[in-house]
Amino acid sequence: MEQHLSRRLYEAANGRTWFDERQGPINVTVKFDDAGQLLVDLGPGLGELSNTAEMEDLESWLINAADLEVADRFTHRGIVFRFDGKDMYFYHPEERPPPPRRSASLNGVPRIVLSPGHGYYRLYGKKDNYSWVFQRSEQHGVQEDVITMEYAELLQEEMRQRIWGAVPVLARFDASYTHAETKQPWRHISARYYLAWQYPKNPEIWHSLPDDKTQGRERLEDIRSRPFFANHVDAAAAVHLHTNAEPSGTVRGTRVYYHRGSPESKKLADRLLCGMKEIVRSLPRYEDFPMDEEARNDGNYGENRLAAMPSALVELAFHSNKGDAAALLDDDFKKAVVSGLTKGFKLYREGAECEPFMVELGEGYGYTNHIGTVTLSFKGYPRTPVDFHFEEFDCGPLATECINQYGSRYSVSSPMYYPLRCPNRPGPHKYRLTMTDADGVISNAAEGEINCKFVDW
Ligand SMILES: [Zn+2]
């Protein structure tokens, strides 16, 4: 297995150029450690480059390539990259994550930093004439640099409406007017330049690598500017939005990454994933949409690593896959994703678990032809208003037809009473209850009965 993986990852690593003129062949050795982690060693030559944006791309490429190989054979406990046996901090001790701190922003209202991945950036150096480019290429109609901004705006709007006492802020500028230097709309421009404009006196946010003279310097500064911005505004959490890619075009689905060793980030990442899963899959078209069970800690993403608060990187779907790309462009999918992320964030903030929406019917009493009462209880976190659908079944021999009843509630709690009408037939009546919340999440169908006494006032 290790040899097989080493070979496959070698092919993936050497199938394209990552580090321009500096790259020779990349060695890849794969080993499992005692903890069940997959150690991927890229040899001694690349240690110096371990903190570059190109290395993040290469690592992400290898994570996806490994996944394609091992998906249904076993579960490893995360992929860790090494360089001649050493981790990145051996070569770049300054890259260690900052100590976590509690958010306490100046005006008392914590910010949630929403960071749309990538965007237009400038190639550094005369060789490239300081020209500007997108960071990703378009595939199946999806330009990652642009679509992440769209999702971030939708998410910001959703969070504004549904999350109280915290302000969602974007790391890029959501304006359509022109960025003078590039003639691109501002919304296409990566975070680094927006933050340079917003925080001219804080170059440590957006110009953190003044000594780097390589072509990719501003791209890496862009990646770093996002957690540095979140740290600067003392954000309560950071959520980075991306779409994923890998060469085969077959890998699909949603993944969420957090930085190894940050339990709070894992909690945030797990809740975000769970919220998305529940709501995206409630759409019939996406009921089988592939989504992880748990957030992943593979690799070493600067956006998460350098954040001093809980931070999660969301790979919404694979733009390299045709079906996933179509989903990314679908308005219903977009809406479900941002509802799911918002719900996940709320669960995280409330310290709640992520539970499936399950209902149980208790006892019910009433008088024929009058409103009676049933008790019910549920698990999960339905968003209100919630619709109730009672379907009568096994109607007695006197019944001409079963009577269904509908209702809606702006406030629900568990357990709760619900007014259910007794039909004009004495005796027990069997009902099947399903509840549907405002996100379209549908509960199980719970069975129970209401006992109706005959009354003749
Ligand atoms: Zn990305």
Side-chain angles (χ1 to χ4, degrees):
M1 189 69 201
E2 291 171 338
Q3 269 184 7
H4 172 76
L5 266 177
S6 299
R7 205 160 47 237
R8 280 305 160 85
L9 295 195
Y10 177 86
E11 288 163 13
N14 290 284
R16 60 181 258 199
T17 306
W18 303 94
F19 303 100
D20 57 67
E21 70 275 6
R22 291 165 292 179
Q23 183 183 331
I26 298 172
N27 294 314
V28 183
T29 321
V30 177
K31 269 205 187 85
F32 290 97
D33 70 1
D34 295 342
Q37 300 181 121
L38 202 56
L39 300 184
V40 179
D41 201 309
L42 301 179
L46 294 180
E48 275 309 312
L49 301 176
S50 58
N51 65 338
T52 60
E54 291 81 4
M55 182 60 75
E56 282 205 12
D57 287 347
L58 169 57
E59 290 186 0
S60 158
W61 201 252
L62 295 180
I63 287 166
N64 288 331
D67 202 58
L68 192 58
E69 293 302 317
V70 301
D72 42 39
R73 296 185 215 176
F74 67 95
T75 314
H76 58 72
R77 291 172 184 262
I79 299 176
V80 180
F81 289 91
R82 293 275 190 267
F83 307 89
D84 199 23
K86 318 282 199 313
D87 62 17
M88 170 210 253
Y89 311 122
F90 175 82
Y91 303 92
H92 294 283
E94 76 284 2
E95 293 288 345
R96 282 193 186 281
R101 57 173 140 110
R102 281 207 151 183
S103 156
S105 66
L106 295 175
N107 57 7
V109 182
R111 292 174 178 84
I112 309 163
V113 166
L114 306 180
S115 171
H118 312 289
Y120 236 51
Y121 79 105
R122 198 177 64 147
L123 299 172
Y124 186 75
K126 281 205 194 88
K127 190 181 135 229
D128 297 291
N129 206 19
Y130 295 94
S131 52
W132 290 73
V133 290
F134 275 129
Q135 298 185 29
R136 292 289 185 257
S137 47
E138 185 179 317
Q139 256 182 303
H140 302 302
V142 176
Q143 172 73 58
E144 181 181 358
D145 305 73
V146 174
I147 205 166
T148 54
M149 187 63 187
E150 232 182 280
Y151 275 86
E153 284 179 277
L154 291 170
L155 179 57
Q156 183 187 37
E157 191 49 41
E158 186 80 4
M159 284 185 155
R160 269 185 187 146
Q161 289 175 20
R162 290 174 55 193
I163 293 177
W164 298 92
V167 179
V169 294
L170 299 182
R172 280 165 57 182
F173 189 27
D174 57 341
S176 293
Y177 60 83
T178 307
H179 173 252
E181 201 179 335
T182 60
K183 308 284 183 279
Q184 287 276 330
W186 256 105
R187 44 186 298 111
H188 290 178
I189 307 295
S190 62
R192 185 202 179 280
Y193 310 96
Y194 171 53
L195 296 171
W197 174 38
Q198 293 291 299
Y199 297 94
K201 293 193 185 119
N202 301 93
E204 72 279 8
I205 298 175
W206 45 269
H207 189 27
S208 57
L209 301 166
D211 299 330
D212 183 346
K213 302 293 180 224
T214 63
Q215 181 210 54
R217 134 176 157 181
E218 293 186 8
R219 180 153 88 95
L220 186 53
E221 285 182 339
D222 173 52
I223 291 174
R224 300 159 67 90
S225 71
R226 298 152 190 267
F228 290 159
F229 165 56
N231 295 349
H232 184 78
V233 300
D234 217 355
V239 179
H240 311 275
L241 299 177
H242 286 260
T243 60
N244 216 336
E246 58 80 44
S248 79
T250 59
V251 181
R252 304 191 54 195
T254 304
R255 296 165 184 194
V256 183
Y257 291 92
Y258 64 95
H259 192 71
R260 180 179 303 275
S262 169
E264 274 303 302
S265 295
K266 173 173 167 43
K267 224 181 273 175
L268 170 66
D270 277 337
R271 296 299 175 275
L272 294 175
L273 182 61
C274 183
M276 279 191 290
K277 180 149 69 177
E278 185 178 41
I279 295 173
V280 168
R281 286 192 176 168
S282 72
L283 297 169
R285 195 152 75 259
Y286 298 111
E287 64 186 0
D288 297 320
F289 195 82
M291 292 207 181
D292 280 354
E293 282 304 310
E294 233 186 306
R296 302 178 179 220
N297 61 4
D298 302 326
N300 192 339
Y301 295 93
E303 281 151 287
N304 283 335
R305 180 183 71 249
L306 298 170
M309 70 291 303
S311 174
L313 188 152
V314 181
E315 296 278 10
L316 297 162
F318 279 81
H319 62 252
S320 49
N321 174 273
K322 219 174 165 188
D324 270 25
L328 283 167
L329 295 167
D330 175 12
D331 285 342
D332 292 336
F333 185 83
K334 289 179 191 172
K335 206 168 155 248
V337 161
V338 299
S339 283
L341 289 171
T342 303
K343 178 169 187 170
F345 186 82
K346 283 173 73 122
L347 292 177
Y348 167 73
R349 204 163 71 137
E350 288 160 19
E353 294 294 316
C354 190
E355 287 183 296
F357 188 18
M358 296 291 287
V359 57
E360 253 179 67
L361 260 182
E363 310 206 296
Y365 302 97
Y367 295 100
T368 52
N369 243 344
H370 289 76
I371 301 290
T373 299
V374 289
T375 56
L376 62 92
S377 59
F378 61 85
K379 285 185 178 149
Y381 298 88
R383 179 181 172 196
T384 55
V386 175
D387 290 339
F388 292 74
H389 179 199
F390 287 89
E391 180 199 6
E392 190 178 3
F393 67 101
D394 272 359
C395 310
L398 292 178
T400 49
E401 60 180 82
C402 292
I403 296 170
N404 298 336
Q405 302 187 46
Y406 305 89
S408 192
R409 285 286 174 279
Y410 275 90
S411 150
V412 293
S413 57
S414 180
M416 67 182 279
Y417 294 106
Y418 190 90
L420 195 68
R421 189 172 186 90
C422 265
N424 194 19
R425 292 168 268 124
H429 293 263
K430 292 186 181 171
Y431 280 93
R432 210 172 271 131
L433 165 64
T434 47
M435 290 161 70
T436 306
D437 87 343
D439 283 319
V441 178
I442 303 172
S443 73
N444 60 312
E447 294 185 358
E449 53 182 47
I450 180 167
N451 211 339
C452 300
K453 286 186 187 162
F454 179 72
V455 63
D456 187 7
W457 304 110

